[in-house]
Amino acid sequence: MSQTQVIKVNKDTMKKMKSFYEKNYLNRTIPYSEFVAKVGNTTITAYTSGKVVFQGPDAETAAAKWGKPTQSKTSNTSSAKKTTSLPANFSQLSVLGSDEVGNGSYFGPVTVCAAYVDKTMVTKLKALGVRDSKELTDPQIRQLSDVIKELIPYKLLIVEPEKYNQIQPKYNAVHMKVALHNQAIHLLLSEIAPIKPEAILIDQFTPEANYKKYVRNEQNQVSEKLYFITKGEQYHVAVAAASIISRAAFLEELDNESEELGMKVPSGAGTASDKVAAKILAKGGMALLSKYAKLHFANTEKAKRIASK
């Protein structure tokens, strides 16, 4: 049984929590959060407002250390998993998986990767530690990505901010991701032919009907053996591999942006991004910012206000 417990803490308690969970931090960026950590099967997300959310089978025990819950919910995750329509023994099949990174980050590109894992490689990749990229540190992600790319076929697409800003008025965020996933999958299928995966698993970011609506506008539509499920990396290592390759590419591009600008460019879309964007505006105006940031984000207007002070 999975539990959700929500507590409210003051600044002093938040400081103690940050210190207590520091070694358990996850490499995950959530707007307005102080930190995200995982202890055992429980995930802890602390927000700048003082709200702290505990999720997992031991959430109640973990939350009780810090305060009384303001919210509590219990759900049967095992029954939820049973409603999925994946084939039997799915985790051991030869699967092509796809995932994307960067869509929620103001700076940096959107990276989409499709990765094919033959059933003979499943155990090896798991033994190497290939799992959800959110559970890995950045150095681990970079190192694993290099190893994975030597072991399995993959196709990586990178949409830099400048290109993203050109496309975005015609393609909303979901449509753009649909187009990128479809293209990455199509290119990888062409590359590994005549081999055909037993299934194609897309880490779900929109309802299946919505995906199919948008993909009708694309050339080279892939429609056979498609499956959609959230947290796809939990169901097959192919999605985890795609996630790691995507994340490593995103981090590398952020490093390149930082080097070119001469300042540290953050991921995510929090206040740190607003401040850096304001500095970029002061340095080169919108023309310069458009090369490094997704301009339709609310951060752009916030940065303009900071820069005008």
Side-chain angles (χ1 to χ4, degrees):
M1 301 282 280
S2 180
Q3 300 175 338
T4 298
Q5 297 278 319
V6 181
I7 64 172
K8 186 86 172 179
V9 302
N10 58 31
K11 290 182 179 180
D12 288 339
T13 303
M14 182 65 78
K15 284 182 182 178
K16 291 176 184 176
M17 292 183 77
K18 287 171 76 172
S19 176
F20 184 82
Y21 291 116
E22 188 174 7
K23 292 181 181 178
N24 302 100
Y25 282 1
L26 295 181
N27 182 36
R28 188 180 299 178
T29 303
I30 295 178
Y32 309 111
S33 67
E34 292 285 334
F35 68 84
V36 183
K38 188 164 186 177
V39 179
N41 292 320
T42 302
T43 301
I44 304 102
T45 307
Y47 294 90
T48 52
S49 64
K51 183 177 82 170
V52 185
V53 181
F54 296 78
Q55 293 172 297
D58 301 317
E60 187 175 358
T61 304
K65 293 178 183 177
W66 306 101
K68 293 181 179 180
T70 58
Q71 225 176 301
S72 179
K73 189 170 96 175
T74 302
S75 63
N76 191 330
T77 54
S78 61
S79 64
K81 285 184 181 179
K82 287 177 185 175
T83 64
T84 61
S85 55
L86 296 178
N89 200 31
F90 188 83
S91 65
Q92 300 303 311
L93 300 181
S94 296
V95 170
L96 188 156
S98 69
D99 199 4
E100 88 287 330
V101 173
N103 189 66
S105 179
Y106 182 55
F107 289 107
V110 173
T111 58
V112 176
C113 180
Y116 174 66
V117 178
D118 185 85
K119 63 180 69 174
T120 60
M121 291 296 296
V122 169
T123 302
K124 183 170 185 176
L125 289 178
K126 287 183 177 179
L128 286 169
V130 177
R131 59 188 188 278
D132 183 4
S133 66
K134 298 181 186 70
E135 297 180 5
L136 300 167
T137 64
D138 288 351
Q140 286 175 321
I141 286 168
R142 294 175 194 267
Q143 184 179 16
L144 268 176
S145 176
D146 289 338
V147 174
I148 294 167
K149 288 190 286 188
E150 293 294 322
L151 293 174
I152 62 170
Y154 70 95
K155 182 57 65 175
L156 174 66
L157 302 180
I158 300 175
V159 181
E160 299 288 1
E162 194 166 22
K163 182 68 174 176
Y164 179 99
N165 292 326
Q166 292 171 6
I167 299 171
Q168 190 272 326
K170 298 177 184 176
Y171 281 62
N172 64 37
V174 173
H175 190 175
M176 192 183 300
K177 284 196 285 186
V178 169
L180 290 169
H181 275 264
N182 181 75
Q183 180 69 352
I185 292 167
H186 164 72
L187 291 172
L188 184 55
L189 285 172
S190 299
E191 194 172 288
I192 65 175
I195 296 171
K196 290 186 178 180
E198 294 174 274
I200 297 170
L201 181 61
I202 295 175
D203 195 46
Q204 189 168 12
F205 52 86
T206 190
E208 182 176 347
N210 210 31
Y211 182 98
K212 289 180 176 178
K213 178 187 76 173
Y214 282 124
V215 85
R216 290 192 200 107
N217 301 313
E218 302 304 311
Q219 293 182 337
N220 307 313
Q221 295 171 34
V222 178
S223 57
E224 291 183 8
K225 300 180 181 177
L226 272 184
Y227 296 90
F228 303 83
I229 195 163
T230 55
K231 298 184 179 179
E233 66 284 342
Q234 295 181 6
Y235 296 88
H236 202 282
V237 73
V239 176
S243 172
I244 288 169
I245 295 172
S246 294
R247 178 70 182 168
F250 173 78
L251 291 172
E252 185 176 346
E253 293 300 319
L254 272 191
D255 287 347
N256 293 339
E257 289 193 4
S258 298
E259 188 175 345
E260 289 173 12
L261 288 165
M263 64 183 85
K264 177 66 176 175
V265 175
S267 63
T271 53
S273 296
D274 302 339
K275 293 173 183 176
V276 171
K279 291 179 182 178
I280 296 171
L281 283 172
K283 189 175 183 179
M286 287 294 291
L288 184 62
L289 185 62
S290 68
K291 294 181 179 180
Y292 299 99
K294 304 176 183 76
L295 296 181
H296 71 102
F297 277 44
N299 302 80
T300 301
E301 294 305 314
K302 293 176 185 177
K304 285 179 182 178
R305 289 196 290 271
I306 295 171
S308 65
K309 289 180 181 178

